[in-house]
Amino acid sequence: MEKQRQCGLCPKRLARKSWPGSPNIFAKNLFRDSVSNLKLQQKAQEFYTKAIEIDPSQAVFYSNRAQTHIKLEAFGFAISDATKAIELDPMNVKAYYRRAVSNLACMKTKEALKDLRMVCKQAPNDKDAKLKMQECEKIVRRMDFLKAIEMGEPPSAAEGLDLNSMVVPSDYDGVQLGETMTQEFIDDMITRFQNGKKIALKYVYQIVLRAKEVFYNEPTMPEVMIAEGKRMTVCGDTHGQFFDLLEIFNRNGYPSATHAYLFNGDFVDRGSWSTEIALLLYAYKLLNPSNFFLNRGNHETDDMNRVYGFEGECKAKYNERTFKLFSESFSALPLATLIGNKFLVLHGGLFSDDNITLDDVRKLDRHRQRQPGQSGLMMEMLWTDPQTEPGRGPSKRGVGLQFGPDITRKFCERNGLEAIIRSHEVRMGGYEVEHDGRCITVFSAPNYVDTSGNKGAYINIGPDYKLHHNVFDAVPHPPIKPMAYASGLMGMA
């Protein structure tokens, strides 16, 4: 306290000047009142940071700031803060709890399990914590089992599947799907999904298997030119928000022979209509294979799908085989798209090595490694984020890294690019242009998980290769909450 007075940082004085009550109390109240708005969560985080500056010996300040990091999906920063809180107070149950959920979000399940066991040890009567520990134990056992039996390439989920012998139920009232995709089938599928109906399981299998074959035969980085009289729309994360996806099409036009679309990953998870989005995007790919493009995101991976809802949704709406077939199709997706030799579109961002070029991306054999893992070129393309500082920094997510404006400039200059276009992060305005215009983030899930209050955005590009940013608001959807099919572990925070 003496040091604080000498520095003019007396908490009472700061309380009178800057906020009502102590910084920690104000930030906590602000956070509780603001879970529906990212900007207010960021403000709460700022107050916790001020509280730490005033008194860095208080574990509760770090533990509470860790919670704001979790809500902002900065899981790497949350782990760091929770760890500091535990160092200051080894009995801080909330800090162990928050580090557990952050480790789980980073797919570090064994570390998460250690913390959950500590929570149960310190709070033996907490039934909710015990249930979550048991669920985490199941995940760890399952992952260990899958690793133990892994011997070369596993058999496809399509093995033994005879589509010709599958019968569509006689009471199915939708349009029939033949050997080729039709606009009539897509229009009917959209209507069915809007009305809470499903398509026949046979058609699900047909769409996923055919799309997988198309993706597999595409290069790791498709290269697209925009001819006169045509245009392309680039969309970011849609995260299972099916009705907001339809809003994009209603506002901007549906895919056609003259209107190409590129969806830049994270079609699934979190939102509760992920199967509907994936099937619709795959159907459009089959209808316009040379004019409709999908990049893989970090949520088109098994680990994320098991935690954030897509696996559970597939099982609830169809069956386990559906998820496995989708998983195989995700592994076949391209990792980037080059538009007009000017814009590299990839989900996450740039690399830990300055020497990486577009040729390295072209040569990357994505079929040899189904899942991105914790390191390597594929992981970086799916997970990295920009930062304002030059150089590179540790990832706020706990996976990958962050890259500064100098990294982006050098990469663009070396490869003759105007800019990179990426997604992967919520932007309150729907998009953000940073790094001196060379890094554009576009996010297409407005009011993300029904709580964030952000806009959605998409980018239109014509034959002149000028970028036209478009912003839109979320639209109403049926009363099904986000994360309805997610692992119960995600409710820990």
Side-chain angles (χ1 to χ4, degrees):
M1 287 295 293
E2 184 63 32
K3 182 178 179 181
Q4 292 164 12
R5 291 191 183 98
Q6 291 173 355
C7 297
L9 295 177
C10 172
K12 290 184 179 180
R13 178 188 291 179
L14 279 173
R16 287 194 300 270
K17 287 187 174 182
S18 306
W19 51 70
S22 75
N24 184 52
I25 292 172
F26 179 70
K28 181 177 285 189
N29 290 337
L30 178 65
F31 182 75
R32 285 174 176 170
D33 293 340
S34 66
V35 291
S36 64
N37 192 296
L38 285 178
K39 285 184 178 180
L40 291 178
Q41 290 174 24
Q42 291 165 347
K43 181 61 68 175
Q45 188 178 93
E46 291 174 10
F47 280 108
Y48 285 131
T49 300
K50 289 182 179 180
I52 290 169
E53 291 171 354
I54 292 170
D55 188 356
S57 67
Q58 297 297 314
V60 66
F61 296 169
Y62 292 96
S63 178
N64 287 347
R65 190 172 68 174
Q67 177 73 345
T68 67
H69 287 314
I70 289 171
K71 294 300 181 182
L72 295 169
E73 299 190 8
F75 299 110
F77 291 169
I79 291 170
S80 178
D81 271 354
T83 299
K84 181 64 177 179
I86 291 167
E87 290 173 359
L88 292 169
D89 178 10
M91 301 301 289
N92 191 314
V93 177
K94 287 186 177 179
Y96 285 107
Y97 217 60
R98 289 163 182 169
R99 191 169 69 176
V101 74
S102 301
N103 273 315
L104 186 69
C106 298
M107 301 299 113
K108 299 175 182 177
T109 50
K110 292 187 177 180
E111 289 87 341
L113 181 57
K114 289 179 184 178
D115 284 336
L116 285 172
R117 285 172 173 164
M118 182 61 72
V119 171
C120 291
K121 181 179 179 180
Q122 294 188 18
N125 295 323
D126 190 329
K127 295 181 180 179
D128 185 59
K130 186 175 181 179
L131 288 172
K132 287 179 169 61
M133 181 187 72
Q134 292 170 345
E135 188 168 352
C136 193
E137 286 175 336
K138 290 179 183 178
I139 292 175
V140 170
R141 286 197 298 268
R142 179 183 178 186
M143 292 178 69
D144 286 344
F145 173 74
L146 291 173
K147 187 175 181 180
I149 64 172
E150 193 175 78
M151 295 180 61
E153 185 69 21
S156 171
E159 191 171 293
L161 181 62
D162 184 2
L163 288 178
N164 292 327
S165 66
M166 285 190 70
V167 177
V168 175
S170 58
D171 60 349
Y172 183 73
D173 58 354
V175 171
Q176 305 292 304
L177 178 61
E179 291 301 312
T180 59
M181 182 57 62
T182 66
Q183 187 65 58
E184 182 187 16
F185 181 86
I186 291 177
D187 292 342
D188 177 72
M189 180 168 63
I190 290 173
T191 301
R192 294 183 69 82
F193 290 164
Q194 287 176 305
N195 293 328
K197 294 182 178 181
K198 298 181 291 185
I199 61 172
L201 185 60
K202 177 177 180 177
Y203 299 154
V204 172
Y205 291 163
Q206 282 182 251
I207 291 169
V208 178
L209 287 171
R210 291 176 186 176
K212 174 192 170 184
E213 184 178 359
V214 175
F215 296 140
Y216 192 92
N217 291 319
E218 288 185 317
T220 295
M221 184 182 72
E223 302 182 36
V224 183
M225 305 299 290
I226 304 174
E228 288 297 326
K230 296 187 177 183
R231 61 175 168 145
M232 169 173 274
T233 298
V234 179
C235 297
D237 304 34
T238 51
H239 273 304
Q241 296 184 197
F242 176 72
F243 294 88
D244 295 316
L245 170 63
L246 294 186
E247 176 68 2
I248 295 175
F249 291 151
N250 289 331
R251 290 169 55 93
N252 191 55
Y254 281 74
S256 69
T258 59
H259 188 175
Y261 270 86
L262 166 59
F263 284 84
N264 194 28
D266 282 14
F267 330 119
V268 302
D269 281 339
R270 296 193 182 276
S272 296
W273 291 273
S274 293
T275 56
E276 285 82 358
I277 282 188
L279 288 167
L280 179 57
L281 297 183
Y282 279 21
Y284 271 123
K285 179 64 178 178
L286 295 174
L287 186 67
N288 298 295
S290 62
N291 215 38
F292 194 90
F293 304 90
L294 302 177
N295 286 342
R296 189 178 190 179
N298 66 303
H299 276 268
E300 279 72 53
T301 56
D302 287 355
D303 287 345
M304 302 298 279
N305 295 158
R306 289 177 181 131
V307 173
Y308 288 97
F310 185 61
E311 180 183 42
E313 184 179 337
C314 286
K315 291 178 179 179
K317 293 180 179 177
Y318 296 102
N319 57 24
E320 184 174 10
R321 174 176 257 170
T322 298
F323 170 67
K324 290 181 177 179
L325 290 174
F326 265 121
S327 172
E328 293 176 20
S329 72
F330 291 163
S331 298
L333 287 167
L335 301 178
T337 301
L338 182 64
I339 301 177
N341 295 315
K342 294 177 179 291
F343 303 105
L344 176 66
V345 185
L346 72 173
H347 183 72
L350 297 180
F351 313 99
S352 57
D353 184 349
D354 280 336
N355 295 316
I356 296 297
T357 67
L358 293 180
D359 276 341
D360 293 305
V361 178
R362 290 185 181 99
K363 294 173 184 176
L364 177 62
D365 185 358
R366 70 191 190 279
H367 301 310
R368 292 186 61 186
Q369 181 182 348
R370 293 190 65 240
Q371 303 300 322
Q374 295 285 315
S375 62
L377 202 62
M378 184 191 299
M379 180 278 294
E380 292 177 354
M381 294 175 73
L382 301 185
W383 277 97
T384 60
D385 295 295
Q387 63 181 23
T388 56
E389 301 83 6
R392 294 181 175 88
S395 171
K396 63 184 179 183
R397 300 174 186 271
V399 181
L401 55 90
Q402 296 189 159
F403 57 95
D406 56 326
I407 304 299
T408 304
R409 175 182 53 79
K410 286 187 287 187
F411 180 82
C412 288
E413 289 176 351
R414 186 181 304 113
N415 291 281
L417 298 173
E418 287 190 13
I420 65 167
I421 300 174
R422 40 94 60 185
S423 303
H424 196 38
E425 291 182 283
V426 178
R427 291 293 189 260
M428 292 306 297
Y431 73 96
E432 184 176 1
V433 180
E434 49 195 322
H435 291 188
D436 300 317
R438 291 186 179 272
C439 179
I440 298 102
T441 298
V442 58
F443 193 82
S444 303
N447 196 28
Y448 181 45
V449 292
D450 285 0
T451 61
S452 297
N454 61 290
K455 302 281 189 179
Y458 52 89
I459 302 172
N460 281 327
I461 311 174
D464 59 358
Y465 296 101
K466 302 296 183 184
L467 304 184
H468 302 277
H469 305 284
N470 299 266
V471 175
F472 67 104
D473 292 311
V475 297
H477 62 70
I480 301 174
K481 293 181 178 180
M483 306 286 281
Y485 304 95
S487 163
L489 286 168
M490 294 318 296
M492 288 194 303

